[in-house]
Amino acid sequence: MDKLKGRFFVKKGTHWLLKDQCGKVVKDFGAIEAHTLLSVLVVEQDGLFGLIDLTGEWALPCEYRNIVQPYNSGGSSGDNHEVLELTDQNDRLWLADRNGKIVTSRSYKEIASGAYSHDLHVNETWNGFADLCDSDEENRHQKFGLFDMVNVREVLPAIYEPGVPDYGAIMGRFSTGIPVFHTEDGETRCKLIDAQGNDLIPFEKGFSSIGVPLHDDYLIEAMKNGKWGYINIHGAEKIPFRYDYASDFSYGCAIVGFSTDDGTFGQYGVIGHHGKLLIPFVFRYIVPDVWVEDGKVFAEGLSKDHEPLKMEAELPERQK
C-alpha cells in the first residue's frame, strides 16, 4: 500500500489520469465520464456506475445505479464518515470503504438512523452509527442491524426486530448499550449489546425488554415476566420487577406506575434510587418527564379525578 501513498486522480482536458505523489502519470484512462469520491474514481458507463481504485484497476465494475458518499447532518461534529453508499440494479444498498471495498456482508433495503420511523433522510447518521434495515424472507417483518460509520465496520447484520415503538429501530445513536430484540414462537426476548456487537446482557437473562442506558444514570428499566423493574449494565436486578410501567431514570428519578383492576386509569408516582417512593401514586397521568430543581423533584399531570395536579418532594440527600 505504500506505493499507492500520495496517488490521486485528476482530469486533464477530456482525459482522466492517475498520478503518483510526484505528479507522474501512472495511468491514462482516456475520455471517460467520471468524478472522484474519497480515494476512488467513480466511472459512468451506459447510465451505470463503478469504481477504479488507486491501483488503477477496477475495484467494482459499472453495475450500480448510483454511488454517493453519505453525509453527516444529524450526528456529532466529530463524525468522520469515509464511506461510500452504492445502489444496485435491484435498488438494494451496499456500503464500501474509501478504497471501494465492499464492507457490508450483504445488501440492505435501507441504511439510515431511526429508519423504522422513516422520518430521517436515508443518509443521515447519529454519532457515527446507522441502522441497517431489511425484511425477513416472507417480507412481512422488518429486521435491523447496525453499522459503525466511523470505524467502517458492520457491527450486526439485519437479523433483529426493532425495539418497542419509542426506541425506533436499533437506535444507532446510542453506543453505550443498544437493546436488541428477537421474537420466536410468539415470545419476545431482549438483550443489550455494545457498539462492537458484544453482549452486555445476553438473551439468557430472560428479559423481554431493556431500556437504553443513559449517560447520567446507571439504572436501566427492564421487563421480566410481564413486570418492569431496574437493572444495571450487567443485568443485575437493582429495583424489583413489580411495576406495570417504568420510565428511564433521569436526574436520579423515574416515573413508575400500576394498572388498576378495572383498567380505567393508571396509578403513577415517582421513585428515586433503590426504589424509594418520592411522589405517591396519585397521578392518572404524568407528563413525560419529571424535573429536579433546588434539591426537589417535581411532577405534573392529571389526578385520578382528571384534575390538573402538580407535586414536589425532597430528594434524598445523596441525590441532591
Side-chain angles (χ1 to χ4, degrees):
M1 292 299 292
D2 287 343
K3 68 178 183 179
L4 304 181
K5 186 177 180 180
R7 286 190 176 188
F8 60 97
F9 294 99
V10 64
K11 188 175 184 180
K12 184 175 182 180
T14 60
H15 283 221
W16 275 98
L17 310 174
L18 175 62
K19 292 188 175 184
D20 64 18
Q21 58 186 339
C22 297
K24 180 182 177 180
V25 175
V26 177
K27 196 165 187 177
D28 184 341
F29 301 100
I32 59 174
E33 292 292 329
H35 63 277
T36 56
L37 274 180
L38 298 177
S39 297
V40 295
L41 187 66
V42 181
V43 182
E44 181 182 359
Q45 292 179 355
D46 300 322
L48 296 176
F49 297 87
L51 300 176
I52 295 177
D53 63 21
L54 292 175
T55 67
E57 303 298 329
W58 289 97
L60 293 171
C62 289
E63 296 177 351
Y64 296 89
R65 295 180 58 176
N66 198 20
I67 299 177
V68 298
Q69 182 183 4
Y71 60 84
N72 168 37
S73 63
S76 65
S77 59
D79 287 347
N80 182 23
H81 301 162
E82 295 193 341
V83 180
L84 298 172
E85 183 180 272
L86 302 88
T87 305
D88 66 23
Q89 295 179 60
N90 295 314
D91 288 325
R92 303 276 297 177
L93 300 178
W94 304 74
L95 293 178
D97 65 16
R98 65 178 290 108
N99 298 309
K101 179 183 177 182
I102 297 290
V103 288
T104 45
S105 59
R106 57 185 174 87
S107 64
Y108 291 100
K109 181 179 179 181
E110 191 171 358
I111 299 174
S113 173
Y116 181 63
S117 60
H118 299 288
D119 59 355
L120 294 176
H121 191 282
V122 68
N123 286 333
E124 287 186 349
T125 64
W126 284 86
N127 297 327
F129 291 92
D131 292 316
L132 303 172
C133 312
D134 216 340
S135 302
D136 57 18
E137 292 181 0
E138 292 80 19
N139 203 33
R140 293 165 53 192
H141 302 289
Q142 286 187 305
K143 301 285 186 177
F144 292 88
L146 189 67
F147 192 89
D148 182 345
M149 300 287 267
V150 175
N151 296 301
V152 192
R153 60 183 297 269
E154 187 176 277
V155 177
L156 290 171
I159 58 176
Y160 295 108
E161 285 84 1
V164 296
D166 288 346
Y167 290 168
I170 287 187
M171 294 295 279
R173 69 191 68 180
F174 297 99
S175 59
T176 54
I178 305 158
V180 173
F181 294 78
H182 179 66
T183 301
E184 187 174 356
D185 298 329
E187 180 183 359
T188 298
R189 298 183 300 160
C190 184
K191 69 177 180 178
L192 201 69
I193 64 170
D194 63 17
Q196 288 71 48
N198 303 312
D199 283 0
L200 297 171
I201 302 174
F203 284 132
E204 288 72 23
K205 287 284 188 177
F207 299 113
S208 55
S209 187
I210 301 173
V212 175
L214 300 178
H215 297 291
D216 63 348
D217 215 296
Y218 74 96
L219 292 171
I220 311 165
E221 72 272 23
M223 177 179 277
K224 194 171 190 178
N225 298 324
K227 293 292 183 179
W228 288 92
Y230 292 86
I231 59 177
N232 65 14
I233 196 74
H234 305 294
E237 179 181 312
K238 292 299 181 181
I239 296 176
F241 295 89
R242 62 166 72 113
Y243 303 106
D244 296 316
Y245 171 83
S247 75
D248 54 81
F249 262 82
S250 181
Y251 301 104
C253 303
I255 302 169
V256 292
F258 295 102
S259 298
T260 57
D261 293 336
D262 59 10
T264 54
F265 56 82
Q267 301 177 80
Y268 296 96
V270 178
I271 61 172
H273 287 146
H274 308 296
K276 178 178 175 59
L277 187 64
L278 303 178
I279 292 179
F281 297 98
V282 295
F283 284 88
R284 173 190 177 90
Y285 170 76
I286 297 179
V287 293
D289 295 306
V290 297
W291 69 97
V292 171
E293 187 176 330
D294 297 329
K296 294 182 178 181
V297 56
F298 296 85
E300 189 172 358
L302 294 178
S303 71
K304 297 176 182 179
D305 299 321
H306 299 269
E307 297 294 330
L309 179 62
K310 181 177 179 180
M311 293 193 69
E312 64 182 66
E314 288 283 341
L315 282 173
E317 190 62 35
R318 66 177 296 274
Q319 292 182 221
K320 291 184 179 180

